[in-house]
């Protein structure tokens, strides 16, 4: 038979001929109290809520995937901030089209994961995806996105003072003959990375395809006055169509890339 108990703090006892008497105290409903135990020797019990929080999705923060209907920038940035504040991890973008009218700001220790997800720019002449101008970006990245920049985004990926970040499996579409697709540059003031520099160093860019019209596909720009360098970065499987200015532009203090 099925026995339903309204959640609450009390004691009840099951008794029936042929079964063991069972007493329960403080009956509480919900994932915050229910337990989960992984299989395998050494596994420890956790609440279902703690287990579910191992995976974070932008949908948890109110994003929706209906194409072109609502600006998702604020909820996407709230989700990135929450994961970074909690110590970092992977933020999942389920398949769909995410419109954003202001920049998505990447933060330390957060990898955004978007295979079959599209980020569509709906804003004006500004950067579509960016990092802080006063701090380094450490141990972060983007995996698997389609990025639609359109004609108005002046820079698609504005990346400053990156340290050990990974950008992989990105398809970028733009229609701006004077824009920058990837701008890997440095901050000249503000916070430093774990090795006490503002260099853009030890990053990986792999399997990135830019289609449509662009101005300059990749710019590497260090700073000679600080000095701060763009160095020891790995680029592989990088392809671009219709670069109207330059395919790759090197400025000062760029070496060993």
């Amino acid at each position: 038979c099925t026995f339903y108990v309204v959640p609450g703090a009390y004691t009840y006892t099951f008794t029936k001929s042929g079964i063991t008497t069972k007493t329960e105290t403080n009956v509480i409903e919900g994932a915050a109290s229910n337990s989960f135990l992984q299989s395998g020797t050494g596994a420890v019990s956790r609440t279902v809520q703690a287990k579910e929080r191992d995976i974070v999705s932008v949908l948890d923060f109110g994003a929706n995937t209906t194409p072109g209907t609502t600006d998702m920038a604020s909820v996407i940035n709230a989700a990135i901030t929450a994961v970074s504040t909690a110590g970092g991890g992977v933020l999942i973008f389920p398949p769909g089209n995410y419109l954003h009218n202001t920049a998505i700001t990447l933060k330390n220790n957060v990898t955004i994961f978007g295979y079959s997800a599209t980020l569509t720019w709906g804003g004006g002449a500004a950067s579509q995806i960016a990092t802080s101008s006063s701090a380094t970006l450490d141990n972060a990245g983007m995996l698997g996105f389609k990025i639609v920049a359109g004609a108005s985004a002046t820079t698609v990926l504005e990346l400053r003072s990156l340290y050990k970040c990974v950008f992989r499996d990105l398809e970028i579409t733009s229609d701006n003959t004077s824009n920058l697709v990837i701008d890997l540059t440095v901050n000249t003031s503000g916070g430093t990375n774990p090795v006490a520099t503002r260099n853009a160093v030890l990053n990986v860019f792999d399997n990135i395809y830019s289609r449509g019209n662009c101005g300059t596909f990749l710019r590497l720009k260090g700073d000679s006055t600080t000095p701060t360098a763009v160095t020891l970065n790995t680029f592989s499987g990088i392809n671009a169509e219709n670069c109207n200015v330059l395919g790759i532009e090197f400025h000062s203090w760029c070496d060993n890339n």
Side-chain angles (χ1 to χ4, degrees), residues 218-232:
L218 172 63
R219 181 172 75 168
L220 307 180
K221 185 179 181 182
D223 180 77
S224 59
T225 59
T226 313
T228 308
V230 177
T231 185
L232 299 175

Side-chain angles (χ1 to χ4, degrees), residues 58-59 62-70 72 93-99 117-118:
V58 289
L59 304 188
N64 70 64
T65 60
T66 304
T69 58
T70 306
M72 293 287 102
F93 284 66
N97 192 334
Y98 299 84
L99 175 71
T118 300

